[in-house]
Amino acid sequence: MTDKSKPAPAASPSRPAPAKPARAQPAAAAAFGPGKIAMTALIVFAIIGVAWLAITLTRFFMLVFAAIVLGAIFDAIASWLVRRTGMKRGFALAGSVAGIIAVFAGAFVLFGSQLANEVDTIRQQVPRALQGVEAFLDRYGLGERVRELAEVGGNDISQLVSQAGGYALAAGSGIADFVLVLVAAIFLASDPATYRRGLLLLMPAKAEETAALALDDAGRGLKGWMVGQAVSSLVVAALTWAGLALLGVPAAGGLGLIAGLLDVIPMIGPIIAGIPAVLLAFTVSPATALWTLVLFLVIQQLQGNFLQPMIQKQAVDVPPAVLLFAVVAAGVLFGFLGVLLAAPLTVVVYVLVQRVYVKTLLGKDIKIAGAD
């Protein structure tokens, strides 16, 4: 028997090499680790908290800015007195504060005394004038509609009268705010260099030079705004005084001073100044009251759309449209106080954007508004 060769053993299938354990990705793990999540959440909550605090303290910040603006006015007048007369700065500052308070007090005392003398005449003339207007509207079939509007207005006035206590408290709070702003402005104007150094010490060393230049730009911008506003107020006061005197309205001088002072409030100031002027014009005749209303409308259009924007543009080089839209934005964001401070706030923000953003960060060679 022949031996058969044994079959060769089958080759064992090759086993796959054991897989190496995947290495941990420390960067990815750290990115999604609990510590990183906690830090992110803390930053988000901090940002929300700072935003909430800024919104809550909006009125406080506006009062601080009002004190800065009033302090800049005191400082400008005091510096001018020192240059012109050589008196000590303390006396010059006291004179500037007393002068501004005297102007406001004198205007309202002059107007108030005349208004008090004419109260009885106003009480007699206004109803008669309204009856004449109602008869005129009835001839054209508009009397019923106007009476409906008057009834609605009367209900609104009744509601306002019922809330007089709340308005009185608001007025008291406004007086307290004014006293606070006045005292703070005097402190700021007495030694502005101290507050400037303190603010610059809070800045990083690299940003200190830019911050110093930005403060100088803001100061020049505010002074330019003050010059432009002074010219605008004088023109409005003169036009109002002359127009009311020609119409024969009592207390034309006091009403002109009030119109000039309220010219600081864009758009709303002329309206507030026109109300007492129309009331006093009723003591002459209803036609005089109508012409007084037309006079204030013309002055308001001249001041709001031409005079003040053009003067401010020459003094600070802020585009007129920017000033007009800034009034609306400030009123929406900050209320009446924002409207009152809209012009100087716009000037300061405008020059800071030019200095910090356009000139420093973007590196563009531009002329800063208000610079020589």
Side-chain angles (χ1 to χ4, degrees), residues 251-337:
L255 291 169
L257 278 175
I258 290 176
L261 294 175
L262 291 177
D263 181 62
V264 178
I265 307 176
M267 294 191 294
I268 298 178
I271 298 175
I272 300 174
I275 294 174
V278 172
L279 288 177
L280 283 175
F282 268 117
T283 63
V284 180
S285 69
T288 303
L290 179 60
W291 282 111
T292 301
L293 180 61
V294 172
L295 173 67
F296 271 86
L297 288 176
V298 171
I299 293 176
Q300 181 188 17
Q301 293 300 315
L302 177 65
Q303 180 267 354
N305 297 321
F306 176 75
L307 180 63
Q308 188 174 21
M310 289 300 104
I311 291 175
Q312 295 297 347
K313 186 177 186 301
Q314 296 301 319
V316 194
D317 199 25
V318 176
V322 174
L323 281 175
L324 294 179
F325 285 118
V327 174
V328 178
V332 172
L333 293 175
F334 309 118
F336 176 76
L337 191 58

Side-chain angles (χ1 to χ4, degrees), residues 2 36 43 59 61 71 97 109 122-123 179 187 192 200 237 242 247 249 261 264 268 278 282 298 340 344:
T2 59
K36 192 71 173 181
I43 292 173
R59 182 175 179 80
F61 292 139
V97 174
V109 167
I122 292 173
R123 190 182 299 125
V179 173
F187 284 140
L200 291 178
L247 292 174
V249 178
L261 294 175
V264 178
I268 298 178
V278 172
F282 268 117
V298 171
L340 179 62

Side-chain angles (χ1 to χ4, degrees), residues 5-371:
S5 59
K6 294 181 180 180
S12 61
S14 61
R15 289 195 215 168
K20 295 182 179 179
R23 292 185 178 179
Q25 302 294 330
F32 298 99
K36 192 71 173 181
I37 295 175
M39 181 60 67
T40 304
L42 183 62
I43 292 173
V44 170
F45 282 123
I47 293 174
I48 294 174
V50 171
W52 174 83
L53 186 63
I55 295 173
T56 305
L57 295 177
T58 296
R59 182 175 179 80
F60 167 76
F61 292 139
M62 294 303 292
L63 291 176
V64 171
F65 183 74
I68 293 173
V69 173
L70 189 57
I73 295 174
F74 290 156
D75 177 66
I77 297 175
S79 300
W80 181 82
L81 289 175
V82 170
R83 289 195 306 268
R84 291 293 181 179
T85 64
M87 68 172 63
K88 293 184 178 180
R89 181 174 175 80
F91 292 109
L93 180 60
S96 66
V97 174
I100 290 181
I101 294 177
V103 169
F104 277 91
F108 285 100
V109 167
L110 179 63
F111 161 72
S113 62
Q114 186 67 47
L115 182 62
N117 294 334
E118 301 289 348
V119 165
D120 291 336
T121 309
I122 292 173
R123 190 182 299 125
Q124 295 172 4
Q125 289 286 343
V126 171
R128 263 189 261 164
L130 292 178
Q131 290 174 3
V133 172
E134 185 177 352
F136 173 79
L137 293 173
D138 283 334
R139 287 199 298 268
Y140 293 93
L142 300 174
E144 187 62 30
R145 179 59 179 165
V146 172
R147 276 189 286 271
E148 293 176 0
L149 293 176
E151 183 178 355
V152 173
N155 295 333
D156 293 339
I157 292 174
S158 300
Q159 294 178 0
L160 291 176
V161 172
S162 65
Q163 298 173 356
Y167 292 122
L169 291 176
S173 175
I175 294 173
D177 290 341
F178 173 75
V179 173
L180 174 64
V181 168
L182 178 62
V183 174
I186 294 173
F187 284 140
L188 290 172
S190 62
D191 191 10
T194 299
Y195 300 98
R196 174 190 169 88
R197 285 195 304 270
L199 183 60
L200 291 178
L201 286 175
L202 299 177
M203 298 294 169
K206 294 182 179 179
E208 188 172 345
E209 182 180 356
T210 301
L213 293 174
L215 289 177
D216 294 337
D217 296 333
R220 282 194 301 269
L222 280 179
K223 288 182 180 179
W225 168 78
M226 284 186 285
V227 172
Q229 184 59 60
V231 174
S232 177
S233 295
L234 287 174
V235 172
V236 168
L239 291 176
T240 305
W241 191 336
L244 293 177
L246 289 174
L247 292 174
V249 178
L255 291 169
L257 278 175
I258 290 176
L261 294 175
L262 291 177
D263 181 62
V264 178
I265 307 176
M267 294 191 294
I268 298 178
I271 298 175
I272 300 174
I275 294 174
V278 172
L279 288 177
L280 283 175
F282 268 117
T283 63
V284 180
S285 69
T288 303
L290 179 60
W291 282 111
T292 301
L293 180 61
V294 172
L295 173 67
F296 271 86
L297 288 176
V298 171
I299 293 176
Q300 181 188 17
Q301 293 300 315
L302 177 65
Q303 180 267 354
N305 297 321
F306 176 75
L307 180 63
Q308 188 174 21
M310 289 300 104
I311 291 175
Q312 295 297 347
K313 186 177 186 301
Q314 296 301 319
V316 194
D317 199 25
V318 176
V322 174
L323 281 175
L324 294 179
F325 285 118
V327 174
V328 178
V332 172
L333 293 175
F334 309 118
F336 176 76
L337 191 58
V339 174
L340 179 62
L341 298 172
L345 184 62
T346 303
V347 169
V348 171
V349 172
Y350 189 78
V351 297
L352 290 182
V353 168
Q354 285 186 322
R355 168 64 66 181
V356 177
Y357 180 70
V358 179
K359 194 173 183 69
T360 302
L361 296 181
L362 299 183
K364 296 182 179 180
D365 188 16
I366 61 169
K367 179 184 177 182
I368 307 300

